Structures are given as C-alpha cells and as structure tokens.
Amino acid sequence: MGRHGWNSGARRWRLTALLGVGAAALALLVTLLNTLPGNGASTAGTTRDGDQAHGTPAVPADAPKPEVGWGFTHTQFSADEGSAAATRRVRGLLAEAGGLPQNQHIMGWGADNPEPVEGRYDFEAMDRRVDFMRASGATPVITLCCSPDWMKGGEAGVDRTDWSQASLETAPEPEHYQDFADLAATVAKRYPDVRHFVVWNEFKGFWNDAEARWDHEGYTELYNLVHKALKSVDEDIMVGGPYLVMDSLDPRSEDASTTFRGPWGAMDQRVLDAFAYWNEHKAGADFVVVDGSSYTNDDELLPDEFAATDKFTAVGEWVRARTGGLPLWWAEYYVEPGDGNDEREGWSETRRVAVQAAGMIAMARGGATSGFYWNPQKEKGADCAGCLWTPTDRAGGGAKLPMYDLVSRFAAEFGPGTAHRTVPVAGRDAPGVRVLASDEAVLVVNTLDRRIGVTVDGRRLTMQAYEVEWLDRRTG
C-alpha cells in the first residue's frame, strides 16, 4: 500500500570516537561477546529483558474503555526528536489539548527492529516514542506491526534488518505467528500504561496470489494468537483489528461489490469478504479498526472531493451493522490523492483543512468515535502540507499549523460519548455547507470555492471559500 509510504525510521546511529588502544580493544571484546555463536547474528546493543517495564508508567486505576477519541499516528519523523525547544513546544501544545490519543507502530515509522535476534530486544527508539506520549499526556496506542526479519524469512542480527518497503510489508511466516504473539506480549509488559493495541497494519503481506484475494485466514490466525497473548498479560487490555483498507473502485470493475456502492464508487468485494471472515472467526475484539480513503483506487474523487467523503459514513454504518455495534476506529483516513511520490501538495491548506473537516464529520456520522491523523510532521523544511506542526529540527520549530487546530478541536468537541444534534441550516448557500453539532459546539464547513452567506443554528455567517468555523453553543 503505497498511499502513505512506510518511512522505516531505521536507527540514526550516533557514533562516538574511541580514544586509546584500550578503549578500542574493549569495544572489540564487547562486539565478540555480543555475537551469537554459530550463525554470526550480532546482538550488540540488545537485551534479554525486553519485558521489563520501561520508565515509570502510570497505569490508570480504572479499567480502560474501548474508545480513545481523535488523535494522530507518529511516523518516521515526529516531535520526540529535534531541538529541545521545539520538542518542548509540541509537548506543551498536546498537553494543553488534553494529550490527544497517539499511536505508534512497533517496527518502522520511527521505531527500530524490536527483536533483531530471537529473544534479544532493542526498544530504544520505541522507548523514546512512548516517553514522548507520556510526557505530552497522551492516551497511548500501539499498532503491532511490523515483524522482525527472522520471522519472515530474513536474516537475524543487529544491522541486518532489511528496511526496504517490500521487506517491511512482509507478514510473518505461519510458523512464526506464535513468535509474533509472544513479541506482542513482551511489548504489553514493557509498557503497562498502554492499554490499547491494534493488530497489524492494512493486511500487509497477507495477499493470496494464487486466488487473487486477501489471505484473511492467515491474518485471522495471527490476530487470534495475538489477542490471546495480550489478554494473558492483562484481561483488561483492549485489542482490535482487522485494520483493513476499505478500498473503493470504479463501479464497472470486476471486483466491485454489486450491493455496497454509492455516488463515491463501489466497495472492493475482496475487502468485504476479508472483513466478513475476520468478523466471523475472530477470537474477540474490543473495538474494530479500518482505514481508507475517500477516493477510489484510481484516485477519483466521486462525484467531487467533498461528496466523496460520504464513503466514510457508508463504511462506518456497514461495519457497525456487522459487528454488533463495536466501537469503530479509523486508523488512517485520506481525502487528497497523492502524487507519484505519495506527496499531497496540490491543494491550498485552506482547501485541505476543509475537506479533512468534511471527512471527519463523515466518519463521526458513520458511528466512528476514534480516529488517527497520519504523519504529523516532516523531517525539515518550511513547507509542510497537511502537517500538524512545523518540523522540530530547529529551535523555532514545533509551531502549530491549521490542521492541528482542526484535529485538536475536533477531539475536544466530539470525543467518545458525545451526542450529535441536528441544527437548522438555512439560506441559498445551505447545500454547500457541512455541519456537525453537539450540545456545546457546531463545526461548519464551507465546501464551495467562493464566499457564502448562511444561517446555522440561528446565527448568520459570512464564510470565505473553504472556510472552517466553530460555533460555541455554550454561550448562545
């Protein structure tokens, strides 16, 4: 799935000069001692105590709930590294917003290989991300993907990790499903304050070439083993999947569903079949996870970029109807097609925020109570289309951007348990407005590329092209 890239975040080594012959000899001795005999797989820098609790986790006294709200996923570059002033600035922003739920994968997207040799662990990068989540007051979430090389036919050993996209997106071999489940349990023990785990990412590596469909049997087998392993650590841990990409197609496609379609396209029947299998054969789930884009696999926004977001509502209603009302999470969501390099820089930031707001409204209307914005920052540079804050590589970085205001305000106003209300919208331009309301706030989005006048909840508004406005109902 090249839609969002994978950004391995392979270790950024910090080299220290070795002074003197004695120091050099000592380093050589340590290297030799940290090499497993027989296969040459280096274990330098690893530990056997991967399941020892890291830092000073503050485990909540109350049992966790299956809904976490609206937040973001850390990717290759995030605010855990960079200028101290910039990272501190982001932590402050997040703390002021109540922390925001934050998600981190265990391998790739900013984290190193957690188990480069069987039974030997390296959680340095993961520890840093978890420390950042703790310091910024987050509800932490961990996505259990991807798997060490030795679980998927590659080589074991520090420095032998293959960070290519093809390798990272390879699933564990069936004989290593239990090993991956054991790794999941190790992660849960290391971070006891993390109470929410998502199993795998987008069915990566689970494709049945022979039958040209998803290997939903293999994924479900892995999921069930991980579910059991996590619940054995703590029955209160919340576990969810399947994190399928809810692809939509041109309705004329041979793989298009004949029953689940709309103006936004037709769902890929192979995805629906995979979801149905997991849903029927899963060992259990505390919440259900999907991801997807409003546009089709051919990057078509049907019938336009705003109306295409109605797909999120349709998918949410379809999923919840089949899972007995399990809390629904969107692990990723996209409204702007990427270019050949998977960059999304073709829209103005005003338009981008407006379409994102419409997408979030659509997800909430479909019953979603949790969602994660992908990729909050770039490594460096002044331009950062769609980022939450400016890059933290320099002291002046870490400043909030328009998308941060949208995500953080949406999280505050439409968190789990919020009742949606209907408010009147009137005026000639009313059809061009998207609205989501609660007892305390109204989110209003102008979907038109022009200035409009509209009355929302009794208030007359003049809105600029693609403007997003919040109304406070607490003050009337």
Side-chain angles (χ1 to χ4, degrees):
M1 303 293 173
R3 183 169 57 259
H4 52 64
W6 53 271
N7 294 337
S8 75
R11 181 190 302 277
R12 294 172 284 276
W13 293 101
R14 298 172 177 82
L15 300 180
T16 302
L18 296 178
L19 302 176
V21 176
L26 177 60
L28 177 61
L29 176 61
V30 170
T31 299
L32 293 174
L33 291 175
N34 283 326
T35 299
L36 293 180
N39 62 8
S42 172
T43 61
T46 66
T47 178
R48 294 188 184 276
D49 300 326
D51 59 357
Q52 298 301 304
H54 166 68
T56 54
V59 180
D62 298 330
K65 297 179 180 179
E67 301 162 299
V68 296
W70 303 88
F72 64 90
T73 292
H74 293 279
T75 53
Q76 182 175 11
F77 305 108
S78 199
D80 61 307
E81 287 192 301
S83 159
T87 59
R88 184 168 56 249
R89 187 172 295 116
V90 176
R91 287 198 305 270
L93 284 175
L94 294 171
E96 289 173 8
L100 295 184
Q102 298 174 35
N103 175 37
Q104 174 63 46
H105 292 63
I106 62 169
M107 180 175 174
W109 299 281
D112 295 328
N113 187 335
E115 192 178 2
V117 176
E118 184 173 5
R120 302 294 301 230
Y121 303 96
D122 177 8
F123 285 114
E124 179 184 352
M126 190 72 184
D127 289 347
R128 186 173 60 247
R129 286 284 167 93
V130 171
D131 286 341
F132 179 85
M133 291 192 282
R134 289 171 177 170
S136 56
T139 298
V141 176
I142 286 179
T143 293
L144 296 164
C145 184
C146 293
S147 69
D149 293 49
W150 60 271
M151 295 187 190
K152 54 194 179 190
E155 291 187 84
V158 173
D159 296 339
R160 291 188 179 179
T161 298
D162 181 352
W163 287 110
S164 68
Q165 183 172 355
S167 175
L168 191 70
E169 296 188 353
T170 298
E173 297 173 339
E175 56 267 32
H176 289 297
Y177 286 174
Q178 185 59 57
D179 292 320
F180 187 79
D182 293 341
L183 173 59
T186 297
V187 172
K189 292 174 183 177
R190 186 170 188 84
Y191 310 114
D193 47 340
V194 178
R195 318 306 300 279
H196 299 85
F197 289 86
V198 179
V199 182
W200 208 244
N201 171 305
E202 294 188 336
F203 266 45
K204 285 177 167 58
F206 287 99
W207 179 257
N208 185 326
D209 286 313
E211 299 183 25
R213 64 168 178 83
W214 291 109
D215 177 17
H216 38 256
E217 299 93 344
Y219 169 79
T220 304
E221 182 181 352
L222 175 70
Y223 174 90
N224 287 343
L225 288 170
V226 172
H227 182 275
K228 179 180 179 181
L230 291 173
K231 292 293 186 177
S232 69
V233 173
D234 185 343
E235 186 64 31
D236 287 338
I237 285 176
M238 301 280 102
V239 186
Y243 202 151
L244 265 168
V245 185
M246 305 303 284
D247 283 330
S248 52
L249 311 170
D250 184 309
R252 296 166 295 183
S253 169
E254 64 178 350
D255 295 313
S257 169
T258 59
T259 59
F260 189 5
R261 54 180 57 202
W264 39 264
M267 291 300 298
D268 188 328
Q269 186 60 48
R270 298 167 298 183
V271 173
L272 303 183
D273 292 343
F275 187 92
Y277 183 91
W278 170 82
N279 191 40
E280 180 181 354
H281 296 91
K282 66 183 183 299
D286 298 294
F287 54 91
V288 60
V289 187
V290 297
D291 93 346
S293 58
S294 58
Y295 46 89
T296 70
N297 273 12
D298 297 321
D299 289 346
E300 291 184 292
L301 290 160
L302 302 174
D304 59 63
E305 69 268 39
F306 287 97
T309 64
D310 290 338
K311 170 187 169 181
F312 294 139
T313 301
V315 168
E317 292 173 344
W318 184 90
V319 168
R320 283 178 56 78
R322 284 155 180 79
T323 57
L326 279 177
L328 172 61
W329 295 21
W330 283 87
E332 305 172 38
Y333 49 91
Y334 302 91
V335 299
E336 180 182 1
D339 61 18
N341 295 319
D342 201 40
E343 297 291 339
R344 291 167 175 79
E345 300 178 345
W347 293 354
S348 68
E349 197 68 9
T350 302
R351 180 184 179 192
R352 181 176 294 111
V353 171
V355 185
Q356 281 284 345
M360 297 178 80
I361 288 173
M363 286 186 283
R365 285 179 174 170
T369 53
S370 303
F372 294 87
Y373 187 77
W374 185 269
N375 201 20
Q377 77 167 62
K378 288 189 175 180
E379 180 182 14
K380 56 186 178 180
D383 296 328
C384 200
C387 290
L388 298 183
W389 52 77
T390 58
T392 55
D393 63 320
R394 58 193 64 188
K400 69 177 181 177
L401 294 169
M403 197 67 75
Y404 177 84
D405 286 332
L406 171 64
V407 173
S408 59
R409 184 70 183 271
F410 198 94
E413 301 292 2
F414 298 109
T418 301
H420 297 164
R421 302 304 184 194
T422 300
V423 296
V425 181
R428 183 185 64 183
D429 295 321
V433 168
R434 293 284 178 109
V435 172
L436 185 66
S438 70
D439 289 330
E440 299 183 337
V442 185
L443 171 58
V444 188
V445 182
N446 176 13
T447 69
L448 303 178
D449 189 15
R450 62 175 174 83
R451 188 182 183 204
I452 67 169
V454 67
T455 300
V456 178
D457 200 22
R459 284 180 250 191
R460 181 67 180 171
L461 305 177
T462 299
M463 304 183 71
Q464 301 305 313
Y466 301 136
E467 184 177 355
V468 174
E469 187 164 343
W470 291 89
L471 306 179
D472 190 345
R473 303 187 80 195
R474 290 168 287 239
T475 60

